[in-house]
């Protein structure tokens, strides 16, 4: 059995386009600034490239030059390099978080002083 749909020329609430009758005036533009600063994205990309290139480069660099073909030691060195990059990322992230906290406290003190 088929059901019949009633075709209506009227638009319901979901179909209406309120762009012309928006409560926001032209001067009240929305804030479209990015949620994450560009410096944070650049740091993340840099550490991502370091996480990819550092251990692989260390492995191939040390395989024949330092360890004379011993892939076990070259692999261990690459793993150490990966851990080094990871620890460096955590340290940089913690310092960045601390600097944001210090700036927020400084602004709060300035507001109280005014």
């Amino acid at each position: 059995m088929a059901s019949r749909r009633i075709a209506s020329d009227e638009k319901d609430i979901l179909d209406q386009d309120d762009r012309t009758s928006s409560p926001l005036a032209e001067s009240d533009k929305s804030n479209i600034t990015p949620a994450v600063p560009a410096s944070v994205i650049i740091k993340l990309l840099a550490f991502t490239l370091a996480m990819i290139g550092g251990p692989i480069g260390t492995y191939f660099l040390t395989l024949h030059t330092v360890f004379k073909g011993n892939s076990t030691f070259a692999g261990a060195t690459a793993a150490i390099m990966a851990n080094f990059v990871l620890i460096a990322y955590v340290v940089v992230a913690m310092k960045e978080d601390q600097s944001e906290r210090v700036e927020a406290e400084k602004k709060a003190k300035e507001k109280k002083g005014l």
Side-chain angles (χ1 to χ4, degrees):
M1 288 190 151
S3 63
R4 286 182 30 183
R5 297 174 81 181
I6 299 173
S8 173
D9 292 337
E10 295 179 14
K11 292 184 177 181
D12 62 356
I13 284 272
L14 298 175
D15 293 335
Q16 290 178 355
D17 187 10
D18 289 337
R19 290 184 189 162
T20 57
S21 62
S22 173
L24 291 176
E26 284 294 321
S27 63
D28 297 337
K29 299 281 183 180
S30 65
N31 186 3
I32 57 170
T33 57
V36 180
S39 63
V40 173
I41 294 174
I42 291 171
K43 286 178 192 174
L44 180 64
L45 288 174
F47 277 103
T48 300
L49 291 175
M51 193 64 179
I52 293 169
I56 293 172
T58 302
Y59 174 79
F60 287 112
L61 184 69
T62 60
L63 181 63
H64 295 293
T65 57
V66 177
F67 299 119
K68 308 289 188 238
N70 190 345
S71 63
T72 303
F73 290 147
T77 307
I80 291 169
M81 179 58 87
N83 286 316
F84 176 74
V85 172
L86 217 121
I87 291 169
Y89 179 73
V90 169
V91 168
V92 168
M94 287 177 63
K95 284 188 178 183
E96 183 177 315
D97 187 40
Q98 289 174 353
S99 67
E100 288 176 0
R101 189 177 308 134
V102 168
E103 287 177 11
E105 289 174 359
K106 191 176 182 181
K107 286 182 182 179
K109 286 180 183 178
E110 288 177 1
K111 282 186 178 181
K112 287 181 182 179
L114 293 176

